[in-house]
Structure formats: C-alpha cells, structure tokens
Amino acid sequence: MIYIELSNRQKKIIKIVQENEPITSEQIAKNLNVTRATLRPDLAILTMMGVLDARPKVGYFYSGKSAVNIIAQEVKNIKVKDMMSIPIIVTEESSVYDGIVTLFLEDVGTIFVVSNGSFTGIVSRKDFLKSVMGGADMNKVPIGMIMTRTPNVVTISPEENALVAAIKIIEHEVDSLPVVEKVEEAGKEIVKVIGRISKSNITKLFVELCKE
Amino acid sequence: MIYIELSNRQKKIIKIVQENEPITSEQIAKNLNVTRATLRPDLAILTMMGVLDARPKVGYFYSGKSAVNIIAQEVKNIKVKDMMSIPIIVTEESSVYDGIVTLFLEDVGTIFVVSNGSFTGIVSRKDFLKSVMGGADMNKVPIGMIMTRTPNVVTISPEENALVAAIKIIEHEVDSLPVVEKVEEAGKEIVKVIGRISKSNITKLFVELCKE
C-alpha cells in the first residue's frame, strides 16, 4: 500500500467532478481558470488512481471509490499472540487476601483463575473491593467464591487479530481478555491461559501505529 | 488522502528499482519479461506518486519515500473534547464509603475530586482497595485523605488531540486522564474538570477508525 497526499488542485478537481459529472476536461479547466495542458497530469493521475472515471466523448465521472481503510488492513495483520502480555494467574483455592496482594504486586486490574491447570474464571479489583466491603474474612474466603466463572467470561484465541480483541473488549465492557487455547495434557483436554490482552495493549498499539 | 493498492507488477518494479538503481525502463522490461510499452503506465503512475524518480538519460531511482502515516494524520485531527466522557466527580470531604458507592454506581475505575469547584486530585479502585484493606473506617475517612493530589496527577486540555492523550496514558501508566481547563469564577481562577479520557475511549476510537 502506498499513501499519497493529493495536491489542492487535485482535491478541487475531484470536487468539481463530483458536483458536475459528467464533465469534460475543458469545462474543468475553465472552472479552475487554467489551461487543459496544465490539468493533464492531474487528470491522468486521478484516473489511474481510480478516483475518476474517464469516458470518451462524455467526460469525467467520480468513481465514488472511497478511501480503502488502510488502518483496518494493518490492524488485521497483528495477531493477539504477537501483542499479548503475560497473564497473572492464581488458583481457585488461593485466599482473597493473596489475590489482592498479587494484584498490587503485579499492578494489574484483573487476575485469571485456574483449577488443575485449566482456566476457570477471572477476578478483578471490583470483585475484591466488593468482597472486602462486604466484610468477608479475606484470609478464609477462597478466590473461587468471588470470581466470575466460565462460561461467563469473554476469552480470545492467540490466532485472532488485534481488531477482534478491541471489539470484544468494547462490546462486553471488560478491561481485559484472557488469551486461551485448548491443549492436551496427560490425556486430558484443558483450557490453558497463555496471555492477556487489555485496554492498555490496545492503547499501546494505537500509539505505535500513530507514531511514525 | 487517497490510498491505492499497488498491483503486483508495480510492487515488483519498485523492488527491481530499489535493487538496481539507476535502471532504465528497457532493463526493467527485460527483467520482467514484458515490453516497454506494457510497463509505461506502471512507470508513469509510480513516478507521479513520487515512489520512483525518473532522470533523463540515467534511469529510474527509488525515491525512498516511505508511506506517509495516514493514521497519525487522522488521529491528530480528533480532539480530546470531541471524544471525552462525562467525568464522575466527588468532593474531598466525601467519605471513602460514598466514593466506593459512586464508583460502583457509575462503573468507573477512577473518580475525580474537587474542592470549592476546583480540581484537586483523583481516587481510583486501587486507592479504595488499599484504604479498605488497611482497616480504615470507610464512613469517617474523607476521600481527601486517600486521593492522589495535584500536581501529582496527569491531566489534559480539551484542545489536545487523541494521540497526545493516548501517549500520556501509556507513558504515565494511568487508566484515565481528567480533562481540565482554567476558568474564572467569581473573580477567582479555578481548574474545572470538564471530562474524562480513559483507555476505554482510546480503545473505542481504535475500533471506530478500523471499522469502515
């Protein structure tokens, strides 16, 4: 893909054609107060780019071809596995207290929970705050009691692209997604958490894409 | 801005020129096993686009012009004031308990704090969790005691652009930025909080930019 900035005259030509199609090069030249020869390279490039259609003996038409969305193209090539962070994982049996300590130590908003190595749910700052506010004994209550359990958790596959991840985060109003994959372990199928995609990852990607 | 997808032959031509510059159109034609006449439109458009430079009696050069970053251009036109959310505001005197209730009711991660109408700080889920864990009396401790106070808070102006906001969020590792402006009220200058920009806003913008 190549991006080119149109000159002001090229932009004016597009506007004139849009408003007056079909229009001959003589009419465009008159409208812009220049000669046909001056316009020739501009019309050539606009036609070759597919912005304008030229029909012999009729004139120029606006093709209506809108800007191909280059951003989406680029983002769809970025896979979740190439941008994910390390997941912070605790077991269901861990205490709420240990969970909170982990949350502060790792400075994450959400922790993923496993049981026998298989993903079973997530627990967030909000869940912890609710639990502590409710007067639970932080040292006795296990995380399994306060977590959000699968299948009520939105997950994503490592092979998905960055745009799908961002859409899931927005549509489900979550802060992060566990990146999971099914694997065989000791003859048993388990759901392994291999990463984490958060709004921070998306925001970082956004900054990277925008910086030259 | 207009984006055009180059044909495979155009891409091949660029590669040949990059590797063999300066190179004549005869040599390029020979390399591709086509006639010069076939190549003429491709060379014309690549030259007009500024990807190749043609020097009479020497040949074609690669201009080295990299893709102008269209994403950045577009993002820089989006202002904070056009994408910000409503700020959730409490006073310094409010209790930690009231703050937590507000946080749950409004479902935000960070609340902004004011005193006499002027912005003085922020308080997050993490601050509340720390305070409650520490055994503070939620009904007695005022938010002013546990909040992060200005000038230790990163803020942004409504006139800044979306990219600056995203960079601030990433560089300072914060979840959201208070959008503030200085105003005169009753002959006194105060800092008014007029909005909130969070990673959610950036993620939403990212999705919007990518969806056609």
Side-chain angles (χ1 to χ4, degrees):
Chain A
M1 281 272 184
I2 292 280
Y3 326 107
I4 54 174
E5 179 110 45
L6 295 179
S7 69
N8 277 334
R9 189 162 64 210
Q10 286 163 348
K11 286 180 194 161
K12 274 185 201 153
I13 292 171
I14 294 174
K15 199 154 173 267
I16 291 167
V17 175
Q18 278 178 315
E19 289 166 1
N20 304 287
E21 61 177 6
I23 182 169
T24 62
S25 58
E26 284 92 343
Q27 289 169 308
I28 301 173
K30 207 178 153 199
N31 199 316
L32 286 170
N33 211 11
V34 295
T35 65
R36 274 182 72 195
T38 310
L39 280 193
R40 209 164 290 140
D42 289 327
L43 288 172
I45 197 164
L46 289 173
T47 310
M48 278 198 249
M49 285 164 68
V51 178
L52 300 185
D53 273 341
R55 288 183 214 156
K57 292 184 189 164
V58 184
Y60 288 91
F61 287 84
Y62 177 63
S63 71
K65 182 182 165 184
S66 70
V68 174
N69 198 320
I70 176 66
I71 309 174
Q73 296 261 3
E74 217 162 295
V75 168
K76 281 177 188 159
N77 287 329
I78 301 166
K79 289 197 170 174
V80 163
K81 65 178 175 189
D82 297 324
M83 61 176 291
M84 67 191 188
S85 301
I86 294 166
I88 307 303
I89 301 173
V90 294
T91 64
E92 280 193 26
E93 298 74 33
S94 316
S95 68
V96 166
Y97 181 83
D98 286 341
I100 296 175
V101 170
T102 305
L103 192 120
F104 275 101
L105 284 179
E106 305 284 353
D107 198 21
V108 289
T110 310
I111 303 177
F112 303 146
V113 189
V114 298
S115 182
N116 299 320
S118 196
F119 176 68
T120 54
I122 63 171
V123 60
S124 70
R125 275 181 203 152
K126 229 160 107 179
D127 297 321
F128 285 125
L129 194 52
K130 221 184 281 176
S131 156
V132 177
M133 288 269 295
D137 183 337
M138 294 185 279
N139 289 299
K140 285 199 183 133
V141 175
I143 280 178
M145 283 266 297
I146 68 161
M147 73 184 200
T148 303
R149 201 171 277 277
T150 52
N152 300 318
V153 179
V154 192
T155 63
I156 195 155
S157 137
E159 299 299 328
E160 274 296 0
N161 70 55
L163 180 55
V164 172
I167 292 173
K168 277 195 168 188
I169 288 174
I170 292 304
E171 286 187 353
H172 296 278
E173 297 185 3
V174 293
D175 283 325
S176 67
L177 302 170
V179 182
V180 299
E181 59 181 5
K182 284 185 182 157
V183 291
E184 285 267 328
E185 250 184 42
K188 230 179 56 182
E189 188 176 78
I190 63 161
V191 180
K192 206 161 180 178
V193 198
I194 59 167
R196 176 170 57 100
I197 287 278
S198 66
K199 286 177 193 164
S200 302
N201 296 108
I202 304 292
T203 305
K204 259 178 220 159
L205 176 63
F206 177 86
V207 169
E208 276 164 29
L209 284 173
C210 289
K211 277 185 166 171
E212 263 146 322
Chain B
M1 280 274 183
I2 292 281
Y3 326 108
I4 55 174
E5 179 108 46
L6 294 179
S7 69
N8 276 334
R9 189 162 64 212
Q10 285 164 349
K11 286 180 195 162
K12 273 186 202 154
I13 294 171
I14 294 174
K15 200 155 172 267
I16 292 168
V17 176
Q18 278 178 314
E19 288 166 2
N20 303 286
E21 61 179 6
I23 181 169
T24 63
S25 57
E26 283 94 344
Q27 289 169 307
I28 302 173
K30 208 178 153 198
N31 200 316
L32 286 170
N33 211 10
V34 296
T35 65
R36 273 183 71 193
T38 311
L39 280 193
R40 208 164 290 139
D42 289 327
L43 287 172
I45 197 164
L46 290 173
T47 310
M48 279 199 248
M49 283 163 69
V51 179
L52 300 186
D53 273 341
R55 288 184 215 155
K57 293 183 190 166
V58 184
Y60 289 90
F61 289 84
Y62 177 62
S63 70
K65 181 181 165 182
S66 71
V68 174
N69 198 321
I70 175 66
I71 310 174
Q73 296 261 2
E74 217 163 295
V75 168
K76 280 178 190 160
N77 288 330
I78 301 168
K79 289 197 167 172
V80 163
K81 65 179 174 187
D82 298 324
M83 61 176 292
M84 67 190 187
S85 301
I86 294 166
I88 307 303
I89 301 173
V90 293
T91 64
E92 279 193 27
E93 298 75 35
S94 316
S95 68
V96 166
Y97 181 84
D98 286 342
I100 296 175
V101 169
T102 305
L103 192 121
F104 275 101
L105 285 178
E106 305 285 352
D107 199 20
V108 289
T110 311
I111 304 178
F112 303 146
V113 188
V114 298
S115 182
N116 299 319
S118 196
F119 176 68
T120 54
I122 61 171
V123 61
S124 69
R125 277 182 202 149
K126 229 160 105 181
D127 297 321
F128 285 125
L129 194 52
K130 221 184 282 176
S131 155
V132 177
M133 288 268 295
D137 184 336
M138 294 186 278
N139 288 298
K140 286 200 182 134
V141 176
I143 280 178
M145 285 265 298
I146 67 161
M147 74 185 198
T148 303
R149 200 170 278 277
T150 53
N152 300 319
V153 179
V154 192
T155 62
I156 195 156
S157 136
E159 299 299 329
E160 273 297 358
N161 69 54
L163 181 55
V164 172
I167 292 172
K168 277 194 168 191
I169 287 174
I170 292 303
E171 286 187 351
H172 296 278
E173 297 185 3
V174 292
D175 283 325
S176 67
L177 301 169
V179 183
V180 299
E181 60 182 5
K182 285 187 181 156
V183 292
E184 284 267 328
E185 251 185 41
K188 230 179 55 183
E189 188 177 77
I190 64 162
V191 180
K192 207 162 180 176
V193 198
I194 59 167
R196 176 170 57 101
I197 287 279
S198 65
K199 285 178 195 164
S200 302
N201 296 107
I202 304 292
T203 305
K204 261 178 219 158
L205 176 62
F206 178 86
V207 169
E208 275 165 30
L209 285 173
C210 290
K211 277 185 166 172
E212 263 145 319

